[in-house]
mmCIF file of all heavy atoms in Angstrom:
data_model
loop_
_atom_site.group_PDB
_atom_site.id
_atom_site.type_symbol
_atom_site.label_atom_id
_atom_site.label_comp_id
_atom_site.label_asym_id
_atom_site.label_seq_id
_atom_site.Cartn_x
_atom_site.Cartn_y
_atom_site.Cartn_z
ATOM 1 N N GLY A 1 139.519 51.827 70.505
ATOM 2 C CA GLY A 1 139.296 52.938 69.582
ATOM 3 C C GLY A 1 139.807 52.876 68.204
ATOM 4 O O GLY A 1 140.330 53.664 67.509
ATOM 5 N N ARG A 2 139.563 51.567 67.612
ATOM 6 C CA ARG A 2 140.101 51.139 66.346
ATOM 7 C C ARG A 2 138.991 50.769 65.539
ATOM 8 O O ARG A 2 137.990 50.167 65.987
ATOM 9 C CB ARG A 2 141.219 50.178 66.286
ATOM 10 C CG ARG A 2 142.421 50.606 67.204
ATOM 11 C CD ARG A 2 143.277 51.525 66.478
ATOM 12 N NE ARG A 2 144.353 52.144 67.379
ATOM 13 C CZ ARG A 2 145.568 51.422 67.210
ATOM 14 N NH1 ARG A 2 145.826 50.463 66.357
ATOM 15 N NH2 ARG A 2 146.617 51.744 67.998
ATOM 16 N N THR A 3 139.079 50.804 64.092
ATOM 17 C CA THR A 3 137.981 50.331 63.280
ATOM 18 C C THR A 3 138.160 48.916 63.081
ATOM 19 O O THR A 3 139.267 48.245 63.365
ATOM 20 C CB THR A 3 138.040 51.036 61.936
ATOM 21 O OG1 THR A 3 139.287 50.678 61.283
ATOM 22 C CG2 THR A 3 137.913 52.579 62.076
ATOM 23 N N TYR A 4 137.249 48.176 62.416
ATOM 24 C CA TYR A 4 137.257 46.747 62.107
ATOM 25 C C TYR A 4 138.555 46.495 61.243
ATOM 26 O O TYR A 4 139.277 45.638 61.479
ATOM 27 C CB TYR A 4 136.040 46.223 61.444
ATOM 28 C CG TYR A 4 136.157 44.915 60.810
ATOM 29 C CD1 TYR A 4 136.083 43.727 61.503
ATOM 30 C CD2 TYR A 4 136.434 44.713 59.396
ATOM 31 C CE1 TYR A 4 136.191 42.452 61.106
ATOM 32 C CE2 TYR A 4 136.550 43.407 58.925
ATOM 33 C CZ TYR A 4 136.392 42.247 59.733
ATOM 34 O OH TYR A 4 136.667 41.041 59.206
ATOM 35 N N GLY A 5 138.700 47.395 60.221
ATOM 36 C CA GLY A 5 139.921 47.113 59.273
ATOM 37 C C GLY A 5 141.179 47.224 60.040
ATOM 38 O O GLY A 5 142.160 46.466 59.746
ATOM 39 N N GLU A 6 141.264 48.148 60.977
ATOM 40 C CA GLU A 6 142.570 48.338 61.612
ATOM 41 C C GLU A 6 142.854 47.245 62.677
ATOM 42 O O GLU A 6 144.072 46.769 62.904
ATOM 43 C CB GLU A 6 142.562 49.682 62.567
ATOM 44 C CG GLU A 6 142.508 50.944 61.619
ATOM 45 C CD GLU A 6 142.316 52.231 62.352
ATOM 46 O OE1 GLU A 6 141.519 52.214 63.342
ATOM 47 O OE2 GLU A 6 142.811 53.285 61.909
ATOM 48 N N LEU A 7 141.843 46.626 63.195
ATOM 49 C CA LEU A 7 141.971 45.547 64.189
ATOM 50 C C LEU A 7 142.064 44.166 63.565
ATOM 51 O O LEU A 7 142.985 43.350 63.972
ATOM 52 C CB LEU A 7 140.737 45.527 65.161
ATOM 53 C CG LEU A 7 140.657 46.615 66.164
ATOM 54 C CD1 LEU A 7 139.449 46.553 67.014
ATOM 55 C CD2 LEU A 7 141.853 46.561 67.152
ATOM 56 N N ILE A 8 141.253 43.833 62.472
ATOM 57 C CA ILE A 8 141.368 42.543 61.793
ATOM 58 C C ILE A 8 142.873 42.310 61.345
ATOM 59 O O ILE A 8 143.332 41.145 61.218
ATOM 60 C CB ILE A 8 140.404 42.397 60.770
ATOM 61 C CG1 ILE A 8 140.182 40.880 60.347
ATOM 62 C CG2 ILE A 8 140.754 43.184 59.499
ATOM 63 C CD1 ILE A 8 139.616 39.948 61.484
ATOM 64 N N VAL A 9 143.452 43.215 60.845
ATOM 65 C CA VAL A 9 144.843 43.204 60.323
ATOM 66 C C VAL A 9 145.881 42.705 61.395
ATOM 67 O O VAL A 9 146.989 42.216 61.052
ATOM 68 C CB VAL A 9 145.362 44.454 59.620
ATOM 69 C CG1 VAL A 9 145.850 45.457 60.590
ATOM 70 C CG2 VAL A 9 146.353 44.140 58.544
ATOM 71 N N LEU A 10 145.639 42.797 62.600
ATOM 72 C CA LEU A 10 146.483 42.471 63.750
ATOM 73 C C LEU A 10 146.591 40.880 63.637
ATOM 74 O O LEU A 10 147.566 40.369 64.219
ATOM 75 C CB LEU A 10 145.861 42.774 65.161
ATOM 76 C CG LEU A 10 145.791 44.399 65.422
ATOM 77 C CD1 LEU A 10 145.305 44.464 66.729
ATOM 78 C CD2 LEU A 10 147.332 44.926 65.439
ATOM 79 N N MET A 11 145.790 40.174 62.961
ATOM 80 C CA MET A 11 145.815 38.800 62.800
ATOM 81 C C MET A 11 146.799 38.356 61.872
ATOM 82 O O MET A 11 147.217 37.035 61.830
ATOM 83 C CB MET A 11 144.395 38.198 62.409
ATOM 84 C CG MET A 11 144.201 36.775 62.615
ATOM 85 S SD MET A 11 142.488 36.240 62.229
ATOM 86 C CE MET A 11 142.731 34.399 62.303
ATOM 87 N N THR A 12 147.296 39.164 60.963
ATOM 88 C CA THR A 12 148.305 38.824 59.909
ATOM 89 C C THR A 12 149.420 38.016 60.445
ATOM 90 O O THR A 12 149.733 36.971 59.850
ATOM 91 C CB THR A 12 148.678 39.998 59.090
ATOM 92 O OG1 THR A 12 147.476 40.710 58.664
ATOM 93 C CG2 THR A 12 149.651 39.718 57.949
ATOM 94 N N PRO A 13 150.244 38.593 61.506
ATOM 95 C CA PRO A 13 151.416 37.805 61.893
ATOM 96 C C PRO A 13 150.998 36.396 62.425
ATOM 97 O O PRO A 13 151.791 35.461 62.290
ATOM 98 C CB PRO A 13 151.902 38.641 63.079
ATOM 99 C CG PRO A 13 151.394 39.993 62.707
ATOM 100 C CD PRO A 13 150.098 39.726 62.109
ATOM 101 N N SER A 14 149.867 36.382 63.047
ATOM 102 C CA SER A 14 149.411 34.908 63.598
ATOM 103 C C SER A 14 149.272 33.943 62.382
ATOM 104 O O SER A 14 149.682 32.756 62.358
ATOM 105 C CB SER A 14 147.990 35.043 64.181
ATOM 106 O OG SER A 14 147.573 33.795 64.635
ATOM 107 N N VAL A 15 148.601 34.536 61.239
ATOM 108 C CA VAL A 15 148.435 33.514 60.122
ATOM 109 C C VAL A 15 149.761 33.071 59.475
ATOM 110 O O VAL A 15 150.013 31.984 58.934
ATOM 111 C CB VAL A 15 147.442 34.233 59.077
ATOM 112 C CG1 VAL A 15 147.298 33.297 57.876
ATOM 113 C CG2 VAL A 15 146.108 34.510 59.763
ATOM 114 N N ILE A 16 150.605 34.222 59.345
ATOM 115 C CA ILE A 16 152.059 33.771 58.831
ATOM 116 C C ILE A 16 152.804 32.821 59.680
ATOM 117 O O ILE A 16 153.352 31.733 59.071
ATOM 118 C CB ILE A 16 152.750 35.181 58.704
ATOM 119 C CG1 ILE A 16 152.229 36.168 57.651
ATOM 120 C CG2 ILE A 16 154.346 34.895 58.340
ATOM 121 C CD1 ILE A 16 152.803 37.468 57.575
ATOM 122 N N LEU A 17 152.703 32.992 60.927
ATOM 123 C CA LEU A 17 153.415 32.090 61.822
ATOM 124 C C LEU A 17 152.792 30.776 61.919
ATOM 125 O O LEU A 17 153.488 29.646 62.073
ATOM 126 C CB LEU A 17 153.458 32.590 63.257
ATOM 127 C CG LEU A 17 154.433 33.888 63.427
ATOM 128 C CD1 LEU A 17 154.370 34.519 64.800
ATOM 129 C CD2 LEU A 17 155.999 33.314 63.048
ATOM 130 N N PHE A 18 151.450 30.722 61.660
ATOM 131 C CA PHE A 18 150.704 29.453 61.522
ATOM 132 C C PHE A 18 151.196 28.598 60.502
ATOM 133 O O PHE A 18 151.294 27.299 60.532
ATOM 134 C CB PHE A 18 149.170 29.797 61.228
ATOM 135 C CG PHE A 18 148.239 28.616 61.361
ATOM 136 C CD1 PHE A 18 148.324 27.797 62.348
ATOM 137 C CD2 PHE A 18 147.148 28.501 60.463
ATOM 138 C CE1 PHE A 18 147.489 26.654 62.463
ATOM 139 C CE2 PHE A 18 146.273 27.507 60.625
ATOM 140 C CZ PHE A 18 146.350 26.621 61.627
ATOM 141 N N GLY A 19 151.830 29.183 59.269
ATOM 142 C CA GLY A 19 152.350 28.423 58.344
ATOM 143 C C GLY A 19 153.892 28.397 58.536
ATOM 144 O O GLY A 19 154.602 27.328 58.286
ATOM 145 N N ALA A 20 154.592 29.408 58.995
ATOM 146 C CA ALA A 20 156.026 29.449 58.948
ATOM 147 C C ALA A 20 156.746 28.431 60.010
ATOM 148 O O ALA A 20 157.714 27.962 59.820
ATOM 149 C CB ALA A 20 156.537 30.830 59.370
ATOM 150 N N GLY A 21 155.860 28.084 61.104
ATOM 151 C CA GLY A 21 156.244 27.149 62.000
ATOM 152 C C GLY A 21 156.143 25.716 61.588
ATOM 153 O O GLY A 21 156.547 24.880 62.262
ATOM 154 N N ALA A 22 155.562 25.504 60.482
ATOM 155 C CA ALA A 22 155.247 24.137 59.978
ATOM 156 C C ALA A 22 156.371 23.311 59.716
ATOM 157 O O ALA A 22 156.362 22.176 60.084
ATOM 158 C CB ALA A 22 154.158 24.173 58.842
ATOM 159 N N ILE A 23 157.352 23.869 58.915
ATOM 160 C CA ILE A 23 158.391 23.081 58.616
ATOM 161 C C ILE A 23 159.356 22.625 59.795
ATOM 162 O O ILE A 23 159.768 21.523 59.977
ATOM 163 C CB ILE A 23 159.316 23.726 57.450
ATOM 164 C CG1 ILE A 23 158.536 23.661 56.194
ATOM 165 C CG2 ILE A 23 160.687 23.142 57.343
ATOM 166 C CD1 ILE A 23 159.100 24.245 54.932
ATOM 167 N N PRO A 24 159.760 23.620 60.642
ATOM 168 C CA PRO A 24 160.505 23.237 61.819
ATOM 169 C C PRO A 24 159.732 22.262 62.760
ATOM 170 O O PRO A 24 160.288 21.447 63.354
ATOM 171 C CB PRO A 24 160.845 24.526 62.572
ATOM 172 C CG PRO A 24 159.962 25.617 61.964
ATOM 173 C CD PRO A 24 159.602 25.074 60.524
ATOM 174 N N ALA A 25 158.340 22.472 62.801
ATOM 175 C CA ALA A 25 157.605 21.537 63.628
ATOM 176 C C ALA A 25 157.703 20.086 63.044
ATOM 177 O O ALA A 25 157.744 19.113 63.752
ATOM 178 C CB ALA A 25 156.105 22.084 63.723
ATOM 179 N N GLY A 26 157.494 20.107 61.691
ATOM 180 C CA GLY A 26 157.611 18.731 60.914
ATOM 181 C C GLY A 26 158.913 18.165 61.274
ATOM 182 O O GLY A 26 159.052 16.838 61.462
ATOM 183 N N TRP A 27 160.009 18.889 61.226
ATOM 184 C CA TRP A 27 161.386 18.360 61.349
ATOM 185 C C TRP A 27 161.505 17.773 62.851
ATOM 186 O O TRP A 27 162.051 16.686 63.030
ATOM 187 C CB TRP A 27 162.367 19.492 61.156
ATOM 188 C CG TRP A 27 163.787 18.929 61.283
ATOM 189 C CD1 TRP A 27 164.651 18.521 60.274
ATOM 190 C CD2 TRP A 27 164.624 19.006 62.474
ATOM 191 N NE1 TRP A 27 165.789 18.049 60.676
ATOM 192 C CE2 TRP A 27 165.819 18.332 62.123
ATOM 193 C CE3 TRP A 27 164.462 19.384 63.807
ATOM 194 C CZ2 TRP A 27 166.878 18.262 62.997
ATOM 195 C CZ3 TRP A 27 165.435 19.128 64.644
ATOM 196 C CH2 TRP A 27 166.652 18.609 64.255
ATOM 197 N N LEU A 28 160.871 18.546 63.757
ATOM 198 C CA LEU A 28 161.080 18.019 65.228
ATOM 199 C C LEU A 28 160.250 16.730 65.300
ATOM 200 O O LEU A 28 160.696 15.764 66.000
ATOM 201 C CB LEU A 28 160.351 19.103 66.117
ATOM 202 C CG LEU A 28 161.361 20.305 66.577
ATOM 203 C CD1 LEU A 28 160.619 21.282 67.293
ATOM 204 C CD2 LEU A 28 162.632 19.805 67.217
ATOM 205 N N GLY A 29 159.088 16.722 64.713
ATOM 206 C CA GLY A 29 158.133 15.513 64.772
ATOM 207 C C GLY A 29 158.925 14.276 64.126
ATOM 208 O O GLY A 29 158.761 13.289 64.633
ATOM 209 N N ASP A 30 159.496 14.497 62.983
ATOM 210 C CA ASP A 30 160.168 13.349 62.332
ATOM 211 C C ASP A 30 161.442 12.961 62.992
ATOM 212 O O ASP A 30 161.822 11.784 63.240
ATOM 213 C CB ASP A 30 160.598 13.841 60.928
ATOM 214 C CG ASP A 30 159.330 13.581 59.927
ATOM 215 O OD1 ASP A 30 158.480 12.834 60.250
ATOM 216 O OD2 ASP A 30 159.300 14.316 58.884
ATOM 217 N N ARG A 31 162.339 13.998 63.408
ATOM 218 C CA ARG A 31 163.579 13.665 63.945
ATOM 219 C C ARG A 31 163.771 13.579 65.312
ATOM 220 O O ARG A 31 164.738 13.008 65.923
ATOM 221 C CB ARG A 31 164.584 14.751 63.386
ATOM 222 C CG ARG A 31 164.635 14.821 61.859
ATOM 223 C CD ARG A 31 165.122 13.479 61.358
ATOM 224 N NE ARG A 31 166.550 13.292 61.633
ATOM 225 C CZ ARG A 31 167.684 13.779 60.959
ATOM 226 N NH1 ARG A 31 167.504 14.675 59.881
ATOM 227 N NH2 ARG A 31 168.831 13.497 61.475
ATOM 228 N N TRP A 32 162.858 14.269 66.193
ATOM 229 C CA TRP A 32 163.029 14.316 67.586
ATOM 230 C C TRP A 32 161.949 13.493 68.139
ATOM 231 O O TRP A 32 162.157 12.283 68.624
ATOM 232 C CB TRP A 32 162.997 15.725 68.252
ATOM 233 C CG TRP A 32 162.856 15.775 69.755
ATOM 234 C CD1 TRP A 32 163.786 15.156 70.542
ATOM 235 C CD2 TRP A 32 161.888 16.464 70.420
ATOM 236 N NE1 TRP A 32 163.407 15.517 71.873
ATOM 237 C CE2 TRP A 32 162.377 16.291 71.809
ATOM 238 C CE3 TRP A 32 160.778 17.243 70.214
ATOM 239 C CZ2 TRP A 32 161.511 16.824 72.826
ATOM 240 C CZ3 TRP A 32 160.046 17.677 71.208
ATOM 241 C CH2 TRP A 32 160.427 17.526 72.501
ATOM 242 N N SER A 33 160.742 14.013 68.440
ATOM 243 C CA SER A 33 159.564 13.211 69.128
ATOM 244 C C SER A 33 158.372 13.859 68.647
ATOM 245 O O SER A 33 158.077 15.106 68.957
ATOM 246 C CB SER A 33 159.826 13.378 70.680
ATOM 247 O OG SER A 33 158.633 12.961 71.253
ATOM 248 N N ALA A 34 157.475 13.096 68.113
ATOM 249 C CA ALA A 34 156.030 13.554 67.800
ATOM 250 C C ALA A 34 155.288 13.765 69.120
ATOM 251 O O ALA A 34 154.622 14.868 69.166
ATOM 252 C CB ALA A 34 155.347 12.461 66.941
ATOM 253 N N ARG A 35 155.512 12.960 70.050
ATOM 254 C CA ARG A 35 154.776 13.190 71.384
ATOM 255 C C ARG A 35 155.261 14.506 72.022
ATOM 256 O O ARG A 35 154.475 15.318 72.518
ATOM 257 C CB ARG A 35 155.046 12.045 72.383
ATOM 258 C CG ARG A 35 154.401 12.260 73.677
ATOM 259 C CD ARG A 35 154.649 10.999 74.564
ATOM 260 N NE ARG A 35 153.996 11.135 75.904
ATOM 261 C CZ ARG A 35 154.556 11.687 76.945
ATOM 262 N NH1 ARG A 35 155.762 12.101 76.844
ATOM 263 N NH2 ARG A 35 153.880 11.725 78.082
ATOM 264 N N GLY A 36 156.578 14.606 72.127
ATOM 265 C CA GLY A 36 157.041 15.886 72.690
ATOM 266 C C GLY A 36 156.631 17.073 72.040
ATOM 267 O O GLY A 36 156.258 18.159 72.571
ATOM 268 N N THR A 37 156.655 17.030 70.560
ATOM 269 C CA THR A 37 156.129 18.209 69.926
ATOM 270 C C THR A 37 154.803 18.613 70.146
ATOM 271 O O THR A 37 154.347 19.699 70.344
ATOM 272 C CB THR A 37 156.464 17.968 68.462
ATOM 273 O OG1 THR A 37 157.876 17.536 68.255
ATOM 274 C CG2 THR A 37 156.316 19.296 67.547
ATOM 275 N N LEU A 38 153.925 17.557 70.150
ATOM 276 C CA LEU A 38 152.462 17.679 70.589
ATOM 277 C C LEU A 38 152.291 18.331 71.889
ATOM 278 O O LEU A 38 151.301 19.151 72.112
ATOM 279 C CB LEU A 38 151.616 16.454 70.145
ATOM 280 C CG LEU A 38 151.546 16.126 68.611
ATOM 281 C CD1 LEU A 38 150.967 14.706 68.535
ATOM 282 C CD2 LEU A 38 150.891 17.033 67.998
ATOM 283 N N ILE A 39 153.012 17.838 72.782
ATOM 284 C CA ILE A 39 152.893 18.346 74.181
ATOM 285 C C ILE A 39 153.128 19.999 74.132
ATOM 286 O O ILE A 39 152.471 20.737 74.825
ATOM 287 C CB ILE A 39 153.882 17.619 75.133
ATOM 288 C CG1 ILE A 39 153.398 16.268 75.455
ATOM 289 C CG2 ILE A 39 153.921 18.459 76.501
ATOM 290 C CD1 ILE A 39 154.459 15.428 76.201
ATOM 291 N N ILE A 40 154.241 20.268 73.474
ATOM 292 C CA ILE A 40 154.497 21.714 73.400
ATOM 293 C C ILE A 40 153.320 22.445 72.766
ATOM 294 O O ILE A 40 153.035 23.573 73.156
ATOM 295 C CB ILE A 40 155.817 21.892 72.482
ATOM 296 C CG1 ILE A 40 156.999 21.311 73.145
ATOM 297 C CG2 ILE A 40 156.027 23.409 72.144
ATOM 298 C CD1 ILE A 40 158.247 21.427 72.356
ATOM 299 N N MET A 41 152.723 21.874 71.786
ATOM 300 C CA MET A 41 151.537 22.426 71.070
ATOM 301 C C MET A 41 150.409 22.709 72.001
ATOM 302 O O MET A 41 149.924 23.908 72.138
ATOM 303 C CB MET A 41 151.025 21.658 69.931
ATOM 304 C CG MET A 41 149.874 22.170 69.160
ATOM 305 S SD MET A 41 148.786 21.030 68.268
ATOM 306 C CE MET A 41 147.911 20.406 69.696
#
């Protein structure tokens, strides 16, 4: 029961986290395990 505009905006946190998780993920890949981090992915 929502319009396109009301529903498409639900994707905003997904896009933010798509970027926000990149630095901690990069740190884990460099300092812990690239394989282990990709398994989590």
Side-chain angles (χ1 to χ4, degrees):
R2 303 290 180 90
T3 66
Y4 170 80
E6 292 171 327
L7 287 174
I8 194 64
V9 78
L10 294 175
M11 191 177 177
T12 304
S14 177
V15 177
I16 292 173
L17 289 172
F18 192 38
I23 287 183
W27 184 89
L28 283 174
D30 277 338
R31 301 296 298 274
W32 174 53
S33 166
R35 179 179 181 270
T37 310
L38 290 175
I39 288 173
I40 293 172
M41 182 207 76

